[in-house]
Amino acid sequence: MGTATSRQHLPVGPESPIFAASKFLTPPSPARHVRRHALTRRIDSNAPIVLMVAPPGAGKTALLADWAGSNPGRLTAWLHVDDSDRDPARFWPAFVAAVRTCSPAFAPQFPDLLRLNADVDRDVLEYLLECAGALDVPVSLVVDDLQHVSAPVYDGLRFLVSRDMGNLGLVIGTRTEPQIDLQRLRLDARVIELRESDLRFSRRDAARLLEGLGVSIPDDCFDTVYDRTEGWAAGLQLAALVLRESDDVRGAVDRLRGTNQVIAQYLAAEVFSAQSPDMQRFLLDTCVVDEITVGIAQALCPDSPVNLLDVENAQLFLRRIDVDGKTFRFHNFVTDLLRFHLRAIDAPHETVLHERAARWYEHHADPVAAFRHYWKAGRHD
């Protein structure tokens, strides 16, 4: 999270939402990535809705970031969705704030409508449609990680996408099927869909990705790596980490061939166990927060000899998510694995970490994040 000075404040009533600036920043494309022109061309279609549904590690966010940065002339807004956006009273102000990053005058009466109704009802949504139709130029809004929202938010989105949104296009990334009446959108030819099978790397692109990650393996070994990862983006990157650090590439590939474990679990275990104890501790201590800065890392892991640059240089799935390069995020899949491992080996320490995070956010004027971590620490009072 950034400090209070880096947040956006949208006045919508007595309890005004406060958003970190990084919530609306397009993630930079990975330093070592493979341009996937066929997929970005599909996203570039004229359909008013683009839907990308795939599990963690499939490369949704990386592909969307690559697409967003591929055409500087396009107006693209970005909205990172998280658990706090389950509440419609928080999601829709964030939705409006995201569009305003491209069109500052968008929906000027939106705060007043919320003050009157204290709810995001049909009148508010009709007003948003009217404002979308009044946009002078096309704006594409990327809504990433939509799976976090609740049924009432889906109700509003279902109504929105059922109508003509004018110059406002939606590009949705999600892990789960969105409840937005997809069948009707398909019948009306208003949606372009990309699924897990579309995001899988071809053998050619997988070879280019491994080469870009500094991995050189014999041709006969490549077939094993590809077959076991099935072209899954995170699996290929995890395999690259294992193979790059191994003195015996063929031996590492043979172990990969023989494992009966789920490929992701096996590779993640190999990568994690290969790190120094200090690095392992840093990874586990910082995984409890969604966004990591130097300040929150020091609060969570005081006196650690490891810092964020060390993790980034080790290519451990840490990426910068703001323009200044001061806010980082682990790959979602890696975050899930680290949190599961932390809970399994040291649940009491997980509670301590949430308390440290809560105090840090409270001190840095982020009561929503502070409350969330106090709650996870069992401090329900």
Side-chain angles (χ1 to χ4, degrees):
M1 284 284 190
T3 62
T5 57
S6 67
R7 299 190 182 105
Q8 294 195 14
H9 182 244
L10 187 69
V12 297
E15 297 181 0
S16 303
I18 298 175
F19 303 114
S22 58
K23 191 174 185 69
F24 309 111
L25 290 177
T26 301
S29 295
R32 298 171 178 84
H33 75 289
V34 175
R35 303 298 300 272
R36 309 182 74 185
H37 299 290
L39 294 179
T40 54
R41 281 195 296 268
R42 289 179 63 182
I43 302 173
D44 255 333
S45 69
N46 292 323
I49 301 123
V50 175
L51 176 64
M52 190 180 300
V53 184
K60 297 184 296 296
T61 299
L63 178 59
L64 290 174
D66 187 29
W67 167 78
S70 64
N71 185 352
R74 182 198 304 114
L75 287 179
T76 305
W78 195 289
L79 174 59
H80 294 275
V81 180
D82 56 40
D83 283 335
S84 65
D85 298 313
R86 290 181 56 80
D87 185 351
R90 186 170 177 86
F91 174 84
W92 290 108
F95 182 98
V96 171
V99 178
R100 286 181 179 175
T101 62
C102 289
S103 180
F106 180 75
Q109 297 176 26
F110 177 76
D112 296 327
L113 287 174
L114 283 190
R115 286 195 186 97
L116 287 173
N117 299 333
D119 194 10
V120 182
D121 59 12
R122 186 61 57 87
D123 290 338
V124 175
L125 295 173
E126 288 279 8
Y127 174 67
L128 290 181
L129 282 171
E130 178 185 345
C131 294
L135 287 169
D136 294 332
V137 293
V139 174
S140 297
L141 173 60
V142 177
V143 184
D144 196 20
D145 282 333
L146 185 66
Q147 72 275 355
H148 290 295
V149 304
S150 61
V153 172
Y154 276 127
D155 290 341
L157 280 171
R158 188 183 308 114
F159 172 75
L160 209 64
V161 301
S162 70
R163 303 277 291 277
D164 181 4
M165 296 185 293
N167 272 331
L168 180 61
L170 290 183
V171 182
I172 296 171
T174 178
R175 298 182 184 181
T176 59
E177 289 291 326
Q179 303 164 30
I180 56 173
D181 199 358
L182 268 178
Q183 188 59 34
R184 177 176 292 275
L185 294 173
R186 289 166 181 155
L187 290 173
D188 294 339
R190 300 186 66 241
V191 61
I192 294 294
E193 298 178 66
L194 287 86
R195 300 284 170 163
E196 179 184 4
S197 58
D198 299 305
L199 269 62
R200 287 177 184 157
F201 279 71
S202 66
R203 289 182 178 273
R204 177 174 176 272
D205 285 346
R208 290 168 57 203
L209 177 64
L210 291 175
E211 182 181 355
L213 292 170
V215 175
S216 177
I217 58 177
D219 291 342
D220 56 331
C221 291
F222 170 79
D223 288 339
T224 297
V225 173
Y226 184 82
D227 291 343
R228 294 299 283 145
T229 60
E230 297 181 338
W232 178 52
L236 287 166
Q237 293 178 66
L238 284 164
L241 282 172
V242 172
L243 297 174
R244 192 174 58 240
E245 300 300 324
S246 176
D247 294 329
D248 179 11
V249 172
R250 287 189 178 276
V253 171
D254 285 340
R255 293 196 302 275
L256 181 60
R257 179 186 292 115
T259 180
N260 291 321
Q261 299 176 10
V262 176
I263 181 66
Q265 294 174 335
Y266 168 78
L267 289 172
E270 287 261 327
V271 171
F272 185 77
S273 63
Q275 307 308 312
S276 69
D278 286 334
M279 179 64 81
Q280 291 183 14
R281 186 76 264 167
F282 185 88
L283 295 175
L284 292 175
D285 283 355
T286 55
C287 74
V288 297
V289 294
D290 295 328
E291 296 178 357
I292 313 170
T293 63
V294 171
I296 188 67
Q298 290 176 342
L300 292 170
C301 199
D303 304 322
S304 173
V306 176
N307 58 45
L308 289 169
L309 290 179
D310 295 329
V311 181
E312 185 182 38
N313 290 336
Q315 300 181 41
L316 293 175
F317 297 93
L318 187 73
R319 58 186 177 88
R320 298 170 186 253
I321 61 173
D322 62 346
V323 175
D324 296 331
K326 296 180 180 179
T327 307
F328 298 77
R329 182 198 296 271
F330 284 116
H331 188 290
N332 288 332
F333 175 75
V334 174
T335 299
D336 292 343
L337 284 174
L338 288 172
R339 289 175 180 174
F340 178 82
H341 189 56
L342 174 63
R343 189 169 297 120
I345 67 170
D346 198 348
H349 186 59
E350 181 188 15
T351 299
V352 171
L353 292 170
H354 281 300
E355 289 179 345
R356 290 176 183 172
R359 288 194 296 270
W360 189 88
Y361 283 121
E362 188 174 19
H363 179 71
H364 288 80
D366 191 339
V368 174
F371 174 83
R372 188 183 310 131
H373 286 284
Y374 275 130
W375 188 271
K376 289 180 179 179
R379 294 278 301 278
H380 298 172
D381 56 334

